[in-house]
Amino acid sequence: MESVTDTFESTLDDARESLTAARARYQALEQTETVPHSIVDALSSFERELEELDDRLDVHGKDVEIAERVSGRIEALSGVLSALTEHQKTVIESDVRRLEKEWELVDSVEDGPSTAAIEQNYAILTKLVETGRHERIASSERIDIDELEAELMAMRHETRARHLDGEYATVLVEHTEELLPEIHEFLSALGDENDDRTSFADGLKLVKQRVEQAKSRDEGAVDDASVAFEGALMLHYTTARSYASHALASALASTIRDTDLSIQANIDECVARGDSSRLLEEIGEALTGEAAQSTAGRVKRLLAEHDGSVMRTAAATEFDIDDLLDHITTLYDDGTITDITIHFEQ
């Protein structure tokens, strides 16, 4: 039979392994996804809790219970960050998919040097998605999906002036209709209590009306087709994000139930509304607990979590750089921080 000490050590080992996995997920999300401040705090708080448990010399049954509770909360944290990672993946894949339809439209009627750079960047995006490197897309300084969409929109407007209205309207309608099934899929996944389901359904109806008008007449068809395509792009963008938020709420609900976290919100109602923000907020409060901590101590732990980087800490928390520098000065004056390194931009 395993001794109390062996059980305690085994529990701590499992907790450290889960915390390492959680930290790796956070590092991938840090610059690409808004992670709630309480979740960032939990990473450093758990490290401190494990260190305090590890320092115990005489281990008793109650210590094992404490270690198991900490391990369970760390498992919940890892589940939250995993859900946020999947949310990021869903959003990015929908953005690249929409960009694909925009690129196909332009490529079908345009050819030349003006499209070469866009084609190259689109190929890079596709490759990153295929190889599962979604965080590289979100944090890339070279490729920005919003900028690519703006370039493609400008090219669509230029293209319209160089092609016969009837021919261009036909192409626009074809690409609009290729987006509609995906929009339907996003909408059908939303709960009945999700307000987006009704509001987006109304917008979808208007897009379909414009498509039918474009098909039924020659004069003015390109106007209807253009409005329909732009409307479909907008709906694809918004419904994909609503779907991603709904999926995130569902994943967070599973994490709460699997790890027995205690929260105040009605979990089923949050899932039905796709209210992932409320669940994230309450999970953060449950993970960090109600133990008070000094601002200076919190700043110290957050700086340690971000390798001493003021810029990364400011980006990940509610502190601005001036506030952080004030706290760092205090920590330096009282001897908590022994040295400060400054990096100049090359």
Side-chain angles (χ1 to χ4, degrees), residues 199-246:
S199 61
F200 292 152
D202 291 340
L204 182 58
K205 182 179 179 180
L206 292 174
V207 168
K208 290 180 177 179
Q209 288 175 349
R210 288 285 190 165
V211 167
E212 293 306 313
Q213 288 175 201
K215 288 181 177 180
S216 63
R217 61 178 180 170
D218 294 327
E219 185 177 349
V222 72
D223 293 327
D224 289 324
S226 294
V227 171
F229 184 66
E230 299 298 338
L233 291 175
M234 185 179 299
L235 275 173
H236 192 277
Y237 177 93
T238 51
T239 57
R241 277 158 174 73
S242 186
Y243 165 76
S245 182
H246 171 78

Side-chain angles (χ1 to χ4, degrees), residues 133-206:
R133 291 178 290 174
H134 299 77
E135 74 283 353
R136 291 279 300 277
I137 295 175
S139 61
S140 175
E141 295 181 359
R142 176 183 173 185
I143 303 175
D144 186 293
I145 290 179
D146 291 339
E147 290 181 2
L148 282 175
E149 285 200 295
E151 290 179 35
L152 287 168
M153 179 183 292
M155 293 186 72
R156 288 199 301 276
H157 293 161
E158 294 172 6
T159 296
R160 176 175 172 176
R162 293 197 297 269
H163 292 80
L164 296 175
D165 283 358
E167 294 176 356
Y168 192 46
T170 299
V171 176
L172 282 167
V173 165
E174 288 175 354
H175 285 79
T176 299
E177 291 183 324
E178 289 173 2
L179 285 170
L180 294 181
E182 294 176 31
I183 296 171
H184 275 292
E185 185 178 345
F186 293 143
L187 283 175
S188 64
L190 304 183
D192 291 337
E193 296 178 36
N194 193 317
D195 293 337
D196 289 342
R197 183 165 186 160
T198 301
S199 61
F200 292 152
D202 291 340
L204 182 58
K205 182 179 179 180
L206 292 174

Side-chain angles (χ1 to χ4, degrees), residues 60-108:
H60 304 285
K62 185 167 292 186
D63 297 313
V64 174
E65 293 177 7
I66 293 172
E68 288 175 343
R69 287 200 297 272
V70 172
S71 181
R73 286 159 58 214
I74 292 174
E75 183 182 347
L77 172 66
S78 185
V80 169
L81 291 169
S82 179
L84 286 170
T85 300
E86 191 63 28
H87 176 269
Q88 177 196 73
K89 177 181 176 182
T90 300
V91 169
I92 289 175
E93 287 184 355
S94 69
D95 284 349
V96 174
R97 172 60 176 161
R98 188 176 60 259
L99 193 66
E100 174 187 356
K101 304 315 297 178
E102 295 183 77
W103 162 245
E104 287 179 353
L105 171 64
V106 170
D107 189 46
S108 66

